């Protein structure tokens, strides 16, 4: 495992991105995707700056798993104590989740590396001055990957029945 930062130093730009590899094959892929999807459940367990969120589920029947899909809103407070709403804007099962909070986009991507059998987990921040958070993003991806690797079976078991992923 280990974090790989984006290939371009972006500094004051609006982008920060990092990735890591999580061993465990298809189970690691599912666990990493669920870890990213269920912000209210897992973010407080792996985060460098843990936050508490309440779940406002997506419409019934629209979720990848019960309540979690496009339109799901996570209500909480940010690290400075200000109210924060995080909304799932896009979801491609087992591949990509895009969330928005204010004018910041957070993109989680997962894919299975066939040659190594590991899940590639990546996270990106896009928005004004988000390039300043490159080191934070790298630390966050590392802690997410370590948490996923240590808890693959528990994360999958907790999820119950998942919708079938879209054909690749």
């Amino acid at each position: 495992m280990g974090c790989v930062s984006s290939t371009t130093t972006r500094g004051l730009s609006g982008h920060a991105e990092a990735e890591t590899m999580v061993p465990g094959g298809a189970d690691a892929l599912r666990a990493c995707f669920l870890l990213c999807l269920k912000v209210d459940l897992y973010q407080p367990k792996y985060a460098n700056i843990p936050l508490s969120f309440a779940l406002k589920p997506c419409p019934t029947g629209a979720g990848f798993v019960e309540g979690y899909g496009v339109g799901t809103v996570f209500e909480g407070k940010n690290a400075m104590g200000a109210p924060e709403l995080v909304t799932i804007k896009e979801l491609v099962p087992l591949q990509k989740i895009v969330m928005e909070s204010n004018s910041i986009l957070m993109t989680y991507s997962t894919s299975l590396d066939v040659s190594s059998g590991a899940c590639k987990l990546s996270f990106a921040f896009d928005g004004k001055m988000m390039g300043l958070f490159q080191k934070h993003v790298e630390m966050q991806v590392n802690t997410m990957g370590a948490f996923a690797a240590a808890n693959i079976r528990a994360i999958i078991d907790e999820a119950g029945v998942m919708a079938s992923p879209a054909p690749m």
Side-chain angles (χ1 to χ4, degrees), residues 88-107:
I88 297 177
K89 295 295 193 176
E90 180 183 347
L91 186 147
V92 179
L94 302 178
Q95 296 176 35
K96 181 179 179 181
I97 304 164
V98 179
M99 299 181 187
E100 184 176 32
S101 179
N102 297 314
S103 60
I104 299 168
L105 289 179
M106 297 158 282
T107 303

Side-chain angles (χ1 to χ4, degrees), residues 54-134:
L55 175 70
K56 181 178 174 192
C58 64
T60 303
F64 175 67
V65 293
E66 180 94 20
Y68 296 87
V70 173
T72 298
V73 176
F74 302 97
E75 300 178 26
K77 295 193 184 286
N78 66 23
M80 279 62 85
E84 181 161 1
L85 296 175
V86 178
T87 305
I88 297 177
K89 295 295 193 176
E90 180 183 347
L91 186 147
V92 179
L94 302 178
Q95 296 176 35
K96 181 179 179 181
I97 304 164
V98 179
M99 299 181 187
E100 184 176 32
S101 179
N102 297 314
S103 60
I104 299 168
L105 289 179
M106 297 158 282
T107 303
Y108 299 90
S109 299
T110 56
S111 62
L112 189 60
D113 182 77
V114 180
S115 64
S116 70
C119 172
K120 181 170 114 178
L121 169 64
S122 66
F123 174 69
F125 264 150
D126 287 288
K128 187 176 180 182
M129 306 290 280
M130 288 297 103
L132 293 172
F133 292 92
Q134 181 62 42

